[in-house]
Amino acid sequence: MVKKQKIESGALAQSVNRAWVFDRVAKGIVFIGGISAIVFIISIFIFIFDQGMGFIAEDLKPGEFFGSEIWRPTSESNPTYGILALIAGTASITGLAMLVSVPFSLGAAVFISEFATGRVKEGLKVLIELLAAIPSVVWGFIGLSIMNPLIVQLFDVPIGLNMLNAGIILGLMAAPIMTTIAEDALKAVPDGYREAAEAMGATRWQVIRRVVLPSARNGLGAAILLGVGRAFGETMAVLMASGHAINLPTSPFDSVRALTATIAAELGETARGSTHYEALFTIGIFLLLITLCINLLADLVIRGGWKRRKL
Amino acid sequence: MAKLSKLLLPALALGLIGLSSCGRPAEGSGRSIIRNIGSDTLVNVAQSWSEAYGTVHPETQVAVSGGGSGTGISAMIDGTVDIANSSREMKSQEIEAAKKNGVQPLKHVVGFDAIAVYVHKDNPIEKLTLAQLASIYGEGGNITKWSQLGVKLSAKADNIVRISRQNNSGTYSYFKSVVLGKAGEYKLGSLDMHGSKDVVEQVSLTVGAIGYSGLAYANDHVRMVPVVNESGAAVGPSVESAMDNSYPIARPLLMYTAGEPTGKIKEYMDWILSDEGQKILRDKGYASVR
C-alpha cells in the first residue's frame, strides 16, 4: 500500500517535471519567434543605413538629390544623382492608383458588409483574398501585354506603358487589402447603431451614409493609408507597366519611373560600394522612411478611432 | 504583425537584392587556374563563362579580371596571362613585342558586339547615319519626330519613342560611346528597358519606337535599320557585316592565347565556342559567333 502510493507520487512528479520542461521549451521557442521580427527589422535598418550612409555623408547634395530631375549615375564625365523625376513618378502613380482603388474598394467593402449575405458575402470575401494573392509580376505582365496595347488603341497614344497603365494596375493591386481592412472597420461598427438608426426611420442608404461610414471613419482612413503604402512600395509591376522613363509627367499618358523600380533595375548590376550603389541605398532609406511614416500614421488613425469609441 | 510585415517586405527585398550581388571568392586549392585578364567589354561575359564553367568542370578555375583591353594585351606580351580579353585587335608592334618574349599571340573571335538599331516593322525608314542617331538619342539633339527624317507615319506615331537600356548595361555604354561619343549623354525620358529582349519586344509593340539591342534578338515584328558607315554605305547589321567591320556599331570580341591552346586552356576555349558558352554570350547581349 505504502509502496504503491510512493510509485504514484513518483510518476506524478516525473510527469510534472516533463510538462514543466516542455512548457519552458515551448515558451522559449515562442519567445524567439516573437522577438525575431524586432531583430529582423533592426538588422535591416542597420544594413540599409550602413550601405547608404557613405553617400549621405560624402556625395549627397540635398539640393541636387531632391531638386534635380537628372538621374545619370553612370555618366563618366558628370554623374548626377537627382531623384525629383523619380519622386514625381512614384507620387503620380500612387495618386492615380488611389483614384482607381478608393471608390472600388470602399464600394466593395460597403457592399460586403452592409448588403451581401450568406454565400455571396463569403464568396466575395474569398475572391478578394484571392485577388490579393496574385503575384506582382503577374500584374506587371498584365500591364505589359494586355493594358499596353489596350491603352494605345483606346486613347490613340504612341505608347501604352505609362502613368495610366501603372496607376490602374497598382490600383487593382491595392484594392483587395483596402477592401479587407475597410470591411473589418465597417464590421466593427456595433449593430446597435444600425438598429437605432433604422428605428428612427432611416433608409438603408441613410444608415450607411450618416451612421456606419462616419463611425468607421478611422478604420476606413487607415485602409486607404495602407493602400497608399502598398502602392508606394510596389516594385515589379510598376517597373513593367510604367515605361521606366525619367520624366516629369504632365499627363497620365507620359511614361514615368518610380523610385522602387529604379532600385530594382539598377542595383543588381552596380558595383558594391560605388557611389551609384550607395545612392540607390539612399533612395532605399528614403523609401523606408516614407513607408514607415505611412504605417505609423495608419496606426495612429486606427488607435485614435479605437480610443474614441471606448469613451 | 501584418502591418509590420508590410513594412518589412520591401526592406527585405532590398536586402536580398543587396545580398545577391555580393561575389563569392572561390578557393582554388588543388585545382588548375586559368588566368584571364583584359577588356572591360568582355569582363561580364568572361565572369559568367568562368562561373558556368566552374559548375561543369570544377577542377578548373578561371580567374577573371578586367582593367581594359590594353591591360590584357600587355599581360599577354609579358606572358603573365593565359587568356587575354580584348575588344580590339593587337597592333603589329604589340605582336612583335610579344614574339620577342617568346609568346606567339593567337587571336580567337569569341563573339560580336554588334548592336542593331530596331524600328517597328511598319516603319519604312531606309537608313540612319550615326549623326542622326546621335540627334535622336543624345542630349541636345533636335530630332524628335519621324517626319524630320522624312518618314511618314500616322500622326500619333510621329513622335519618336526612344527605347534605351538601364544605365549600367554594357549595350547602353557601348552604344553611347559609338553614337554619342565619349562626352555625350543620352537625352532623359527614354524608356529604359531591363534586357536586350525587352527592347525589341517594346519596339515591336510601338509603331513610333526606335531601340538598340543585340542583333541576336531580332524577330519578325521589327526591322533592323541599316546604318551608314564611314565609307558612306548603308549596312545592315549581321554577323558577316560585324565580322568584316563594315557595320559601324559592331566590333569582334577577341580572346588571345599564347600560341595554339593546349590542355585545360584548349578545353576552356572550346567550351566558350560551344553552344553552352555561346548561349551565355548571347544572354549578356552580344552576338554569337554562329
Side-chain angles (χ1 to χ4, degrees):
Chain A
M1 194 57 200
V2 172
K3 203 181 174 186
K4 201 182 173 189
Q5 212 174 8
K6 207 176 183 180
I7 288 165
E8 266 176 0
S9 78
L12 190 68
Q14 204 181 12
S15 77
V16 163
N17 211 27
R18 198 177 292 160
W20 182 84
V21 169
F22 186 79
D23 184 66
R24 277 302 153 107
V25 170
K27 198 174 162 190
I29 290 170
V30 171
F31 176 73
I32 291 170
I35 63 159
S36 63
I38 298 168
V39 173
F40 280 139
I41 191 107
I42 289 176
S43 0
I44 285 168
F45 264 106
I46 292 173
F47 172 71
I48 293 186
F49 274 88
D50 176 56
Q51 298 291 321
M53 231 33 207
F55 180 80
I56 296 176
E58 288 159 34
D59 308 281
L60 180 71
K61 288 167 249 168
E64 177 191 288
F65 195 66
F66 293 108
S68 162
E69 76 271 23
I70 300 171
W71 174 256
R72 267 194 198 120
T74 55
S75 164
E76 282 140 53
S77 47
N78 181 28
T80 315
Y81 304 90
I83 63 168
L84 184 64
L86 313 182
I87 295 175
T90 291
S92 60
I93 294 171
T94 307
L96 203 63
M98 288 304 110
L99 283 184
V100 173
S101 64
V102 167
F104 267 121
S105 55
L106 292 194
V110 168
F111 180 73
I112 291 172
S113 130
E114 305 300 315
F115 292 96
T117 49
R119 271 179 154 174
V120 176
K121 186 173 184 155
E122 290 313 308
L124 265 178
K125 282 170 93 167
V126 169
L127 276 178
I128 284 168
E129 268 154 35
L130 209 66
L131 204 61
I134 294 175
S136 67
V137 68
V138 174
W139 283 112
F141 191 72
I142 292 171
L144 202 61
S145 55
I146 297 175
M147 298 279 292
N148 180 15
L150 204 66
I151 290 177
V152 171
Q153 267 175 17
L154 284 179
F155 299 100
D156 204 33
V157 287
I159 185 134
L161 294 183
N162 48 28
M163 191 173 132
L164 181 71
N165 190 337
I168 292 173
I169 290 286
L170 265 193
L172 295 177
M173 288 179 77
I177 292 172
M178 292 167 67
T179 308
T180 307
I181 299 171
E183 201 248 331
D184 281 347
L186 295 177
K187 207 164 58 188
V189 176
D191 275 341
Y193 286 26
R194 294 186 184 85
E195 284 155 13
E198 272 165 22
M200 306 276 285
T203 63
R204 204 92 178 265
W205 174 241
Q206 284 169 331
V207 173
I208 292 167
R209 210 179 84 89
R210 299 283 178 81
V211 177
V212 178
L213 289 181
S215 52
R217 198 173 50 211
N218 293 81
L220 298 179
I224 293 171
L225 278 174
L226 288 174
V228 171
R230 169 96 169 100
F232 200 85
E234 177 48 43
T235 306
M236 202 57 215
V238 178
L239 175 59
M240 292 166 83
S242 66
H244 205 56
I246 298 175
N247 258 332
L248 285 175
T250 51
S251 99
F253 300 111
D254 283 345
S255 296
V256 288
R257 194 200 260 217
L259 291 160
T260 49
T262 301
I263 300 179
E266 295 176 11
L267 192 59
E269 291 169 50
T270 307
R272 247 174 112 73
S274 64
T275 311
H276 183 193
Y277 181 87
E278 288 175 351
L280 290 173
F281 266 93
T282 306
I283 297 181
I285 295 172
F286 179 64
L287 274 171
L288 195 63
L289 290 177
I290 289 180
T291 12
L292 195 69
C293 287
I294 293 173
N295 278 271
L296 280 178
L297 205 63
D299 242 19
L300 281 177
V301 166
I302 288 181
R303 204 154 296 167
W306 179 70
K307 257 186 204 152
R308 197 160 334 145
R309 195 168 300 147
K310 231 184 162 186
L311 286 171
Chain B
M1 194 54 212
K3 260 163 269 141
L4 203 63
S5 77
K6 249 170 234 118
L7 200 98
L8 257 167
L9 278 175
L12 234 151
L14 262 177
L16 284 178
I17 292 168
L19 278 176
S20 67
S21 67
C22 75
R24 272 163 258 100
E27 272 300 314
S29 55
R31 298 193 291 177
S32 49
I33 296 179
I34 296 174
R35 293 162 299 172
N36 183 198
I37 302 177
S39 163
D40 281 325
T41 309
L42 257 169
V43 72
N44 285 330
V45 66
Q47 252 151 12
S48 302
W49 274 332
S50 155
E51 279 168 28
Y53 196 69
T55 60
V56 285
H57 293 275
E59 75 284 358
T60 308
Q61 184 194 357
V62 183
V64 178
S65 65
S69 302
T71 314
I73 288 169
S74 56
M76 174 56 57
I77 293 168
D78 296 339
T80 58
V81 70
D82 299 311
I83 303 170
N85 303 336
S86 180
S87 54
R88 64 171 174 84
E89 303 212 5
M90 278 177 85
K91 294 170 192 154
S92 53
Q93 59 262 45
E94 288 169 340
I95 293 175
E96 288 307 313
K99 278 179 181 165
K100 254 181 216 152
N101 290 346
V103 178
Q104 185 77 42
L106 185 68
K107 182 176 86 178
H108 306 265
V109 177
V110 295
F112 292 96
D113 197 7
I115 294 169
V117 175
Y118 289 97
V119 292
H120 191 269
K121 66 174 183 335
D122 295 342
N123 189 328
I125 189 159
E126 277 166 19
K127 60 184 181 187
L128 280 165
T129 63
L130 289 179
Q132 284 170 331
L133 279 173
S135 207
I136 292 169
Y137 270 106
E139 179 79 67
N142 56 12
I143 299 182
T144 57
K145 290 178 188 306
W146 286 111
S147 48
Q148 285 172 272
L149 295 164
V151 176
K152 278 205 176 70
L153 293 171
S154 66
K156 79 165 178 186
D158 194 34
N159 275 322
I160 299 177
V161 177
R162 284 163 288 126
I163 316 270
S164 185
R165 288 291 306 279
Q166 85 276 13
N167 55 30
N168 43 22
S169 130
T171 316
Y172 171 97
S173 59
Y174 176 54
F175 189 80
K176 185 167 109 172
S177 70
V178 173
V179 175
L180 308 180
K182 263 272 176 278
E185 297 286 357
Y186 285 101
K187 272 182 215 168
L188 295 172
S190 56
L191 273 71
D192 302 334
M193 299 289 135
H194 200 54
S196 300
K197 194 169 178 289
D198 298 342
V199 171
V200 182
E201 196 82 26
Q202 197 50 50
V203 171
S204 74
L205 292 170
T206 312
V207 181
I210 185 169
Y212 59 87
S213 186
L215 76 107
Y217 296 90
N219 63 34
D220 293 342
H221 308 289
V222 291
R223 280 185 57 229
M224 292 190 277
V225 185
V227 179
V228 178
N229 64 16
E230 277 173 350
S231 56
V235 181
S238 65
V239 172
E240 293 76 42
S241 65
M243 251 169 181
D244 66 15
N245 272 329
S246 60
Y247 183 68
I249 322 175
R251 53 185 169 178
L253 301 172
L254 307 174
M255 279 180 150
Y256 282 93
T257 55
E260 196 64 50
T262 53
K264 299 277 186 222
I265 299 174
K266 179 173 168 31
E267 277 174 32
Y268 185 54
M269 291 305 299
D270 288 346
W271 178 83
I272 284 175
L273 293 170
S274 73
D275 288 346
E276 201 179 339
Q278 291 293 301
K279 184 187 178 301
I280 294 170
L281 182 85
R282 279 196 298 275
D283 288 348
K284 286 282 168 188
Y286 301 107
S288 52
V289 181
R290 280 172 285 132

